[in-house]
Amino acid sequence: MGEVVGAGLLAHVPTIVLPEVTRRELNGGEDTTLVSGLRRLRADVFERDDYDTVVVLDSHWATTVEFVTTAQDRRAGLYTSEELPRGMCRMPYDFPGDPELARAVARYADRHGTYITPIDDPYLPIYYATVNLWTHLGVRDDPYLGEPGRRWMSIGVCQTADTEDFLRLGRALADAVAATDRRVLLIASGALSHTFWPLRVIRDHEASGPEHIFTPQARAADEQRIAWLRDGDHARVLDAMPEFLAFRPEARFGHYLMMIGALGERACTAPGRLYSEYENSVGTGQVHLWFDRPANGWTAR
């Protein structure tokens, strides 16, 4: 039987793919900890040989009437961002997909009362919430990665979904992983609170210090949830979702909710390991948190 062998809430901000000199110019001479954190995460987790597929829960890919899974045999091309083409321009990507798992997730839609469609169209757009993290964690110049067995696939957030809908997608994903005998790493690719500074002042808030988060209240809400996640108190995060939505988490926190839906929801007690400091990105809250599978399973106490 397959299983999720690791999972993470990871930041995908454009800064992480900018040249180091540019990152330091934006940050008063210091580099962001988000880049060094991904390097450590790659060495600690993504260079191991104990997984088959990476599933990215992509907070930038907004669908409307259903969840969509990528079902291509391979995805390759050049990515230029419509949001920030100056900084993310003609970025190469090339990785095998996992159409079997993508279709298996959809087969469990009815069981969990939701709507999921696998799409294998080669012209389906890709988003930087996937590409930027693949660039750091899955590029082919690593001897452990880029092999035919190292697959990457994405699942989008549905913009008409609520907290329960995201959890249902996660439950379907867990069933599909078990049914296909996959060893999976889950990436919840997205931010915490997510309000940008207005254009006229946004360049005054490009440094990574958390004093630049949009409001002190949003910062406090983010830091509270980071503490809960480090303690493995996912139940409290879920119970407090109505309050957190007031701070506009990215994609209504759908990336995290899909992840925790696959890990057992309130019963999951896996503590998170910080792979970065809590940082600002033009008003939004960013962090890397990784959850190792406990020896007795995700819901072991």
Side-chain angles (χ1 to χ4, degrees):
M1 188 170 81
E3 63 180 345
V4 177
V5 297
L9 173 63
L10 304 183
H12 59 242
V13 291
T15 314
I16 66 174
V17 294
L18 295 178
E20 181 177 346
V21 63
T22 304
R23 299 196 303 265
R24 291 183 180 275
E25 288 172 356
L26 294 173
N27 198 36
E30 299 295 323
D31 201 359
T32 170
T33 66
L34 297 174
V35 171
S36 58
L38 288 174
R39 290 172 180 156
R40 289 189 291 112
L41 182 61
R42 176 170 172 158
D44 291 351
V45 174
F46 284 77
E47 290 182 0
R48 298 192 316 228
D49 61 358
D50 62 349
Y51 68 97
D52 309 302
T53 298
V54 177
V55 177
V56 181
L57 306 167
D58 187 316
S59 62
H60 273 223
W61 179 16
T63 60
T64 303
V65 301
E66 62 202 345
F67 291 100
V68 178
T69 63
T70 58
Q72 298 92 343
D73 287 320
R74 184 169 217 95
R75 301 194 81 182
L78 298 174
Y79 173 76
T80 294
S81 166
E82 81 289 358
E83 179 184 344
L84 190 62
R86 175 170 53 88
M88 292 175 288
C89 180
R90 295 188 299 278
M91 295 169 57
Y93 62 92
D94 186 352
F95 50 81
D98 195 338
E100 181 185 1
L101 180 58
R103 296 187 178 105
V105 178
R107 286 199 298 272
Y108 287 96
D110 288 346
R111 173 184 289 186
H112 295 288
T114 192
Y115 308 95
I116 308 168
T117 301
I119 297 293
D120 62 5
D121 186 337
Y123 297 101
L124 183 71
I126 196 166
Y127 296 90
Y128 74 76
T130 292
V131 174
N132 286 6
L133 291 177
W134 178 83
T135 298
H136 280 277
L137 301 174
V139 290
R140 294 170 61 87
D141 62 359
D142 188 284
Y144 294 92
L145 299 171
E147 299 299 327
R150 296 303 181 106
R151 313 171 183 97
W152 281 60
M153 60 171 277
S154 299
I155 301 176
V157 297
C158 182
Q159 64 181 331
T160 56
D162 62 13
T163 293
E164 175 62 21
D165 292 311
F166 290 125
L167 294 174
R168 291 183 183 193
L169 183 283
R171 296 165 196 159
L173 174 58
D175 284 348
V177 169
T180 53
D181 292 329
R182 290 293 189 270
R183 299 171 301 168
V184 167
L185 297 178
L186 294 183
I187 295 177
S189 178
L192 296 159
S193 65
H194 200 255
T195 301
F196 296 116
W197 287 97
L199 179 61
R200 290 192 301 278
V201 298
I202 199 168
R203 282 166 176 76
D204 297 330
H205 300 282
E206 291 184 311
S208 64
E211 66 273 13
H212 294 284
I213 299 296
F214 191 69
T215 66
Q217 294 82 6
R219 175 180 177 178
D222 286 348
E223 291 177 333
Q224 185 176 56
R225 278 145 188 85
I226 291 170
W228 292 341
L229 292 170
R230 293 185 71 184
D231 288 342
D233 196 349
H234 300 275
R236 185 171 291 186
V237 176
L238 291 171
D239 290 340
M241 272 305 301
E243 292 83 0
F244 194 38
L245 290 173
F247 299 103
R248 300 177 61 187
E250 187 165 21
R252 295 179 308 287
F253 220 28
H255 46 295
Y256 167 80
L257 293 168
M258 291 188 287
M259 181 191 79
I260 200 61
L263 302 182
E265 300 170 46
R266 286 170 176 80
C268 179
T269 57
R273 287 188 286 147
L274 279 176
Y275 272 88
S276 74
E277 297 176 10
Y278 171 60
E279 292 193 5
N280 161 74
S281 179
V282 291
T284 69
Q286 309 290 336
V287 74
H288 297 321
L289 271 166
W290 190 258
F291 306 94
D292 295 305
R293 180 189 178 277
N296 295 323
W298 291 104
T299 56
R301 292 189 178 274

